[in-house]
Amino acid sequence: MNKATRKAVIAGNWKMNMTPSKAKEAIEKTAALVSGKNGCDIVLCVPFVDIDAAVTAAKGTNIKIGAQNVHFEKSGAFTGEISADMLLETGVEYVIIGHSERRQYFGETDTTVNQRTKAALAAGLTVILCVGEVLEERQSNITDEILSMQTKLALAGVSAEEMQKVIIAYEPVWAIGTGLTATPQQADEACGLIRSVLAGMYDEKVAEATTIQYGGSMNDGNAAELLAKYHVDGGLIGGASLVPEKFDAIVTAAQ
Ligand code: PEP
């Protein structure tokens, strides 16, 4: 398994944008643009309330729908939370876990990221697991240690078989929503580091088979260069995924 055989995945993270009616419109428009572009998997991760409209609009297209978080308990007194079974029944196939905005603003920890990951995998969802360093960590030359620690803690107790349903998104926090992008070399080095951590935790086969995305201000202008790198198998895209033409250009760059 190598870059040529690993599955490229272009995933959009809509964050807290789009009402259900806007979601329907955006997915119909995006679907028309990306139709027939089957050289990568295409996912849109939408707000919970948009899922129904998104799943309906994506039916029969090459777009799959994801959520942006999931709770680790099956049910119970967890006001405001959504379980993996609830997501599955609405037609969601993917879920983002550990996004830096969840870690920064909503108290997400490596422990809860691990709990959510295990619950999502047990239910049969594909996990897009986010890891990434903040600027001070990069400036202190501890990026490798941070990525290694976040990856190991998030995947503690996840089997080699379950890794077939794990995508890792390397998202340097300083590049998310800032317009600052990691250079292709920085992205490749960090994704390569994560791959070597997987080789240590599992084996070379798992490491080489795992899709590792780059995320952080990826857009129609810089995607081709980033996606050409050996260890970069796709992208997690925030802002540019809200604009169908921009998202389509990134999908095209991944073909
Ligand atoms: C993200 O939300 O994961 C992201 C990478 O956002 P942006 O592309 O806007 O930087």
Side-chain angles (χ1 to χ4, degrees), residues 11-15 96 99-101 130 169-172 175-180 214-219 235-241:
N13 173 18
W14 279 3
K15 314 193 189 200
I96 296 172
H99 192 279
S100 64
E101 286 153 17
C130 301
Y170 164 60
E171 297 213 304
I176 297 179
T178 58
L180 290 175
Y214 167 77
S217 299
M218 188 186 270
N219 59 39
L236 182 57
I237 296 114
S241 72

Side-chain angles (χ1 to χ4, degrees), residues 170 183-193 226 228-232:
Y170 164 60
T183 64
Q185 193 187 332
Q186 284 172 325
D188 197 42
E189 278 169 12
C191 292
L193 181 279
L226 288 158
K229 288 295 179 190
Y230 180 81
H231 291 291
V232 180

Side-chain angles (χ1 to χ4, degrees), residues 107-161:
E108 198 75 63
T109 64
D110 288 317
T111 304
T112 55
V113 168
N114 175 246
Q115 288 173 305
R116 290 178 204 272
T117 299
K118 287 192 287 194
L121 291 171
L125 292 166
T126 296
V127 170
I128 300 175
L129 170 66
C130 301
V131 296
E133 81 286 0
V134 299
L135 188 59
E136 297 71 39
E137 291 163 344
R138 178 159 284 270
Q139 287 170 338
S140 307
N141 289 321
I142 56 168
T143 298
D144 290 6
E145 286 84 350
I146 296 297
L147 296 180
S148 171
M149 182 189 70
Q150 288 183 355
T151 303
K152 286 180 185 168
L153 290 172
L155 295 174
V158 172
S159 70
E161 202 190 329

Side-chain angles (χ1 to χ4, degrees), residues 74-89:
K74 279 187 127 4
S75 62
F78 301 101
T79 303
E81 293 292 330
I82 304 283
S83 75
D85 287 345
M86 291 171 184
L87 292 180
L88 270 184
E89 205 170 309

